[in-house]
Amino acid sequence: MEKSSEKSLKPRLSFWSIFNMSFGFLGIQFGFALQGGFMSRIFQTLGASEGEIPMLWVAAPLTGLLVQPIIGYLSDRTWNPTWGRRKPFF
């Protein structure tokens, strides 16, 4: 068999297209950074004491570290005719 030398048909983006896309992502990152910067104050508003705030900051990454592999394991053992081998869990 002969190897196909066809290139993918992805359009080439101009400098300004890439710049505009990156600038939009910069705005999204600013939004996440502002939200993250105020989380301690939000935790206090919800009733957390100063001593509980570090545990609350660790809770989300630790939960993801523990829960994500379990969801992946369960997802790998599902079959759906529409989605194939993995059934998405949202």
Side-chain angles (χ1 to χ4, degrees):
M1 284 184 80
E2 189 176 309
K3 286 187 176 181
S4 176
S5 63
E6 293 180 24
K7 292 183 178 180
S8 70
L9 300 175
K10 295 180 183 177
R12 293 196 45 88
L13 297 175
S14 70
F15 169 80
W16 291 110
S17 295
I18 294 171
F19 178 83
N20 287 333
M21 185 171 50
S22 299
F23 196 71
F25 288 136
L26 177 69
I28 292 170
Q29 289 299 318
F30 268 107
F32 281 133
L34 283 171
Q35 180 184 9
F38 287 112
M39 281 309 297
S40 294
R41 179 67 185 132
I42 292 169
F43 288 148
Q44 287 178 334
T45 301
L46 293 173
S49 68
E50 281 191 34
E52 295 171 329
I53 290 176
M55 186 57 73
L56 292 171
W57 273 98
V58 172
L62 191 60
T63 303
L65 184 69
L66 298 173
V67 173
Q68 190 172 356
I70 295 169
I71 297 298
Y73 174 82
L74 294 173
S75 178
D76 283 345
R77 274 127 188 91
T78 60
W79 177 261
N80 188 301
T82 304
W83 296 306
R85 186 172 79 90
R86 288 188 171 196
K87 182 178 177 182
F89 288 96
F90 294 107

